[in-house]
Amino acid sequence: MPRASLSRETVVGLALRVVDEEGPAALTLSAVAARAGVATPSLYKHVRNLAELRELLSAHVMGEISARIGDAVLGRSGDEALHALMTAWRSYVRTHPGRYAAMIQSPQPGLAEAGERLLDVMFAALRSYGLTDSESVHAVRCLRSAVHGFVLLEAAGAFGLPESLDDTYELLTRMITAGLHAPRP
Amino acid sequence: MPRASLSRETVVGLALRVVDEEGPAALTLSAVAARAGVATPSLYKHVRNLAELRELLSAHVMGEISARIGDAVLGRSGDEALHALMTAWRSYVRTHPGRYAAMIQSPQPGLAEAGERLLDVMFAALRSYGLTDSESVHAVRCLRSAVHGFVLLEAAGAFGLPESLDDTYELLTRMITAGLHAPRP
DNA sequence: GCCTGAAAGCTAATGTCATTAGCTCAAAGA
DNA sequence: TCTTTGAGCTAATGACATTAGCTTTCAGGC
């Protein structure tokens, strides 16, 4: 086996640096190849095509988020766990806005596993609320929607007014936690 | 003035049909030109470039949403107004998922006006809660985040489980409305 | 009815990408 | 040392965006 200077993982790592430093729109095979010091077609030895690279990158990012929020939730329960989860999620996106924006949302086969892990962490964080399975599904969806919407808009710079975004996020957190104490009407 | 078969508005209209029928990724000047029955470079007589077309399209979509939720809120107040606003917003996105996904979120000069109008409608819908200006800003941001996150994920097909999405959205609506009755801790 | 100039559309050309085909050559293992 | 495998390369193709410069149409004045 010859020159193994590159690997699938290295390529994904370089792709992450591209989106971190130049934004999601800059993610091209050319850009990654340039960073790898390699001709563009050489990348096809490691990833099937650009679409697969995007998928691998998305799975990686989902994995990082799961790990972060999983850590944050450890040893906590109830509102405290929820608060920690939401804070950790937002904090990750603030650190890597391009990375988060580059993440694919539509259901791809390669993302199923990473997506499930992320859901698992969220379900676990809600466990102490004592919800039924079905209530938990609705609760996780609401949590995910609210956090995803907020961090996406924040990362895009879509909140123009001068009011504190920390305060807004506090309010959002309270809306979610309060809503979880009475998930049915 | 010669052959005025095309216009800025026509071009935007064709672009809307492209994203509606083929998704946001299919929005190319080639695709629009093909629908217009015109060579690609001819479009440059009407829009500066692809970036500007995206901006015009985004402004148009924002305008449509403002109009829809504005209508929905007319003659209502309080929780009822909020509920109508959220329902109308989601309903718009379900009708035009590609259009919504094609909408730019980052603050562009050309989007300022449309963005302000959308914000105005949301502030108006919250008026009867009697919030302070600052509380309203936080409330609108939370509302926008939650709705945007939900409809984006729903349009992307990101909610895989079989539980009813209508029920989830009801819960999300209740979380927001309940949170608005006591926006500060 | 004819002239003219501005605007709409066209062709040709360039540059960036993704992707495929087929070659080369390094190095691992016999 | 020889073979084989696989990483990386060059060349080529095709889709796009964008620019330059030409052609043609037609509105309005004569």
Side-chain angles (χ1 to χ4, degrees), chain B residues 126-144:
Chain B
L126 293 182
R127 192 163 297 140
S128 60
Y129 285 95
L131 306 176
T132 66
D133 285 358
S134 168
E135 284 170 346
S136 292
V137 170
H138 296 302
V140 162
R141 285 175 177 168
C142 289
L143 172 61
R144 183 178 168 202

Side-chain angles (χ1 to χ4, degrees), chain A residues 23-46:
Chain A
L27 179 57
T28 64
L29 291 178
S30 297
V32 174
R35 282 177 190 250
V38 128
T40 308
S42 304
L43 296 179
Y44 287 85
K45 298 291 177 177
H46 304 283

Side-chain angles (χ1 to χ4, degrees), chain B residues 2-3 5 39 41-42 45-46:
Chain B
R3 287 163 293 188
S5 74
S42 304
K45 297 292 175 176
H46 304 282

Side-chain angles (χ1 to χ4, degrees), chain B residues 102-177:
Chain B
M103 195 175 47
I104 296 170
Q105 294 299 332
S106 43
Q108 311 278 314
L111 293 181
E113 197 186 337
E116 276 176 35
R117 188 164 151 232
L118 183 53
L119 284 185
D120 284 348
V121 177
M122 299 177 76
F123 278 114
L126 293 182
R127 192 163 297 140
S128 60
Y129 285 95
L131 306 176
T132 66
D133 285 358
S134 168
E135 284 170 346
S136 292
V137 170
H138 296 302
V140 162
R141 285 175 177 168
C142 289
L143 172 61
R144 183 178 168 202
S145 297
V147 173
H148 181 62
F150 183 93
V151 299
L152 218 50
L153 291 170
E154 182 182 25
F159 295 129
L161 297 173
E163 272 78 6
S164 154
L165 283 165
D166 289 355
D167 288 355
T168 302
Y169 202 64
E170 269 303 308
L171 175 58
L172 190 64
T173 305
R174 257 182 293 120
M175 284 177 173
I176 302 290
T177 53

Side-chain angles (χ1 to χ4, degrees), chain B residues 6-182:
Chain B
L6 274 187
S7 72
R8 207 174 170 76
E9 291 69 37
T10 319
V11 171
V12 174
L14 292 170
L16 287 168
R17 287 177 46 192
V18 170
V19 296
D20 280 347
E21 296 167 22
E22 304 170 52
L27 180 57
T28 64
L29 290 178
S30 298
V32 174
R35 282 176 191 252
V38 130
T40 308
S42 304
L43 296 179
Y44 287 84
K45 297 292 175 176
H46 304 282
V47 295
R48 184 164 27 253
N49 50 32
L50 178 59
E52 192 194 44
L53 178 56
R54 287 219 182 88
E55 218 176 74
L56 291 169
L57 182 145
S58 301
H60 181 93
V61 173
M62 280 188 196
E64 285 189 328
I65 297 176
S66 302
R68 298 289 190 90
I69 68 179
D71 282 358
V73 160
L74 271 186
R76 303 181 204 268
S77 69
D79 292 355
E80 201 193 328
L82 246 287
H83 190 278
L85 181 152
M86 289 180 67
T87 302
W89 194 318
R90 178 176 175 226
S91 155
Y92 175 84
V93 180
R94 286 165 69 98
T95 315
H96 307 289
R99 199 174 283 208
Y100 192 81
M103 195 175 47
I104 296 170
Q105 294 299 332
S106 43
Q108 311 278 314
L111 293 181
E113 197 186 337
E116 276 176 35
R117 188 164 151 232
L118 183 53
L119 284 185
D120 284 348
V121 177
M122 299 177 76
F123 278 114
L126 293 182
R127 192 163 297 140
S128 60
Y129 285 95
L131 306 176
T132 66
D133 285 358
S134 168
E135 284 170 346
S136 292
V137 170
H138 296 302
V140 162
R141 285 175 177 168
C142 289
L143 172 61
R144 183 178 168 202
S145 297
V147 173
H148 181 62
F150 183 93
V151 299
L152 218 50
L153 291 170
E154 182 182 25
F159 295 129
L161 297 173
E163 272 78 6
S164 154
L165 283 165
D166 289 355
D167 288 355
T168 302
Y169 202 64
E170 269 303 308
L171 175 58
L172 190 64
T173 305
R174 257 182 293 120
M175 284 177 173
I176 302 290
T177 53
L180 289 181
H181 287 112

